[in-house]
């Protein structure tokens, strides 16, 4: 399905986004890589020389960034068949310990830019009558998390938006898939928290496995993908238990593992 198409991946300089770039290139998909760290993107572009790769340096926390990315891509003259909104970050800290600018930056990157890029790139997809959008949420989208409140809320937005658009855009020929990873071994964890409990460390999944699960779900036209049996079980339990108990438990776990 991916061969000969073009995919734009945000957050392609590390972790899940980089793994998706490698897997798509191996499948013959041309790439547009987006992130702030140009050197990392250019090194990856040189490595993936079996396909056409363009690099766009962009800070998705900037309000005009999504429109600027869309304009740069339009100038390349390459239709984007696949949009992967993967860039994101979070903090595992009580809200009052996160400076306002970082808090708002999280919303700008995880929510605002994702919504804008989805809206911008879906229009030409709808005109062509086909397109694929993979939005990266998180298992934390499934329940409120005291100690990670803004991040979990931002990922709930991604998941709710994605599930609605999956239905709304079916007639337009656009597939919208939401990938909800649990703990994944990437740079995310070291940026989000000071240390990680060994038990949570054991539950972490490799970025390659998570990336492959997301791309597989997208190719199959699925609405949602939760990689890993233990995270599938977690999201199933959350749907069965009273929300007040889930929130108390999530707060207790986050409080212990900061
Ligand atoms: N790892 C986990 O445990 C986990 C679990 C659930 C969900 N997720 C989600 O998975 C996605 C990928 O994260 P990851 O785990 O692969 O972490 P990662 O290795 O830290 O990658 C995050 C990517 O986002 C980019 N990014 C961050 N802020 C940006 C900004 N302002 N402008 C442009 N790009 C920005 C980073 O690139 P630059 O720094 O070069 O800009 C990087 O390429 C995120 O949405 C995250 O919320 C991760």
């Amino acid at each position: 399905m991916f061969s000969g198409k073009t995919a734009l991946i945000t957050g392609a300089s590390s972790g899940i986004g980089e793994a998706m770039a490698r897997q798509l290139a191996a499948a013959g998909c041309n790439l547009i890589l987006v992130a702030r760290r140009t050197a990392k993107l250019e090194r990856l572009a040189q490595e993936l020389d079996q396909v056409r790769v363009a690099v766009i340096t962009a800070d998705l926390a900037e309000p005009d960034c999504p429109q600027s990315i869309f304009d740069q891509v339009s100038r390349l003259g390459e239709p984007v068949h696949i949009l992967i909104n993967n860039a994101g970050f979070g903090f595992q800290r009580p809200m009052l310990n996160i400076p306002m600018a970082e808090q708002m930056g999280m919303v700008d990157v995880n929510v605002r830019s994702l919504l804008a890029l989805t809206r911008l790139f879906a229009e030409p997809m709808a005109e062509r009558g086909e397109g694929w959008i993979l939005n990266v949420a998180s298992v934390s989208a499934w329940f409120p998390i005291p100690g990670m409140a803004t991040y979990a809320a931002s990922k709930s937005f991604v998941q709710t938006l994605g599930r609605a658009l999956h239905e709304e855009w079916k007639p337009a020929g656009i597939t919208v898939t939401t990938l909800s990873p649990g703990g994944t071994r990437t740079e995310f964890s070291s940026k989000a928290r000071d240390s990680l409990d060994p038990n949570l460390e054991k539950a972490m999944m490799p970025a390659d496995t998570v990336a492959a699960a997301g791309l597989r779900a997208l190719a199959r036209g699925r609405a949602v993908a939760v990689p890993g049996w233990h995270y599938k079980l977690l999201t199933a339990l959350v749907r069965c238990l009273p929300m007040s108990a889930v929130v108390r438990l999530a707060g207790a776990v986050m409080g212990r593992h900061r």
Side-chain angles (χ1 to χ4, degrees), residues 10-17 34-38 40 58-61 85-90 109-110 136-140 151 155 180-189 191 193 204:
T10 68
S13 60
S14 66
I16 298 167
V34 179
R36 290 166 302 181
R37 288 171 292 176
T38 317
K40 290 201 89 177
D59 183 350
L60 291 164
N85 283 307
N86 160 76
F89 67 98
V109 175
N110 297 4
V136 181
S138 165
V139 288
S140 62
Y151 178 73
K155 293 300 185 178
S180 278
T184 308
R185 271 179 225 106
T186 65
E187 295 175 13
F188 177 90
S189 190
K191 293 174 194 161
R193 49 181 86 83
M204 300 278 265

Side-chain angles (χ1 to χ4, degrees), residues 169-184:
W169 286 349
K170 256 186 203 164
I174 303 173
T175 298
V176 180
T177 300
T178 307
L179 171 64
S180 278
T184 308

Side-chain angles (χ1 to χ4, degrees), residues 100-232:
M100 179 69 94
E102 291 181 19
Q103 196 91 238
M104 301 314 280
M106 205 187 325
V107 175
D108 287 338
V109 175
N110 297 4
V111 174
R112 198 177 184 284
S113 75
L114 178 142
L115 175 62
L117 288 171
T118 299
R119 173 67 181 81
L120 285 163
F121 282 97
E123 201 159 312
M125 287 178 185
E127 280 162 15
R128 289 195 300 272
E130 65 166 19
W132 291 264
I133 300 177
L134 179 58
N135 289 335
V136 181
S138 165
V139 288
S140 62
W142 294 69
F143 49 97
I145 307 183
M148 219 176 179
T150 306
Y151 178 73
S154 75
K155 293 300 185 178
S156 288
F157 176 93
V158 174
Q159 176 150 280
T160 303
L161 179 81
R163 294 204 76 147
L165 293 180
H166 180 84
E167 284 308 311
E168 187 175 321
W169 286 349
K170 256 186 203 164
I174 303 173
T175 298
V176 180
T177 300
T178 307
L179 171 64
S180 278
T184 308
R185 271 179 225 106
T186 65
E187 295 175 13
F188 177 90
S189 190
S190 56
K191 293 174 194 161
R193 49 181 86 83
D194 297 332
S195 65
L196 188 62
D197 182 271
N199 290 322
L200 287 188
E201 172 65 41
K202 275 188 219 144
M204 300 278 265
M205 295 183 65
D208 283 354
T209 309
V210 170
L215 294 176
R216 205 166 40 242
L218 182 69
R220 290 178 182 167
R222 297 274 151 78
V224 178
V226 180
W229 69 267
H230 46 314
Y231 293 117
K232 283 188 180 67

Side-chain angles (χ1 to χ4, degrees), residues 52-74:
R52 280 197 309 279
V53 186
V55 162
I56 297 180
T57 305
D59 183 350
L60 291 164
E62 298 292 332
D64 298 335
C65 184
Q67 185 66 53
S68 157
I69 291 171
F70 184 76
D71 294 344
Q72 288 179 64
V73 170
S74 302

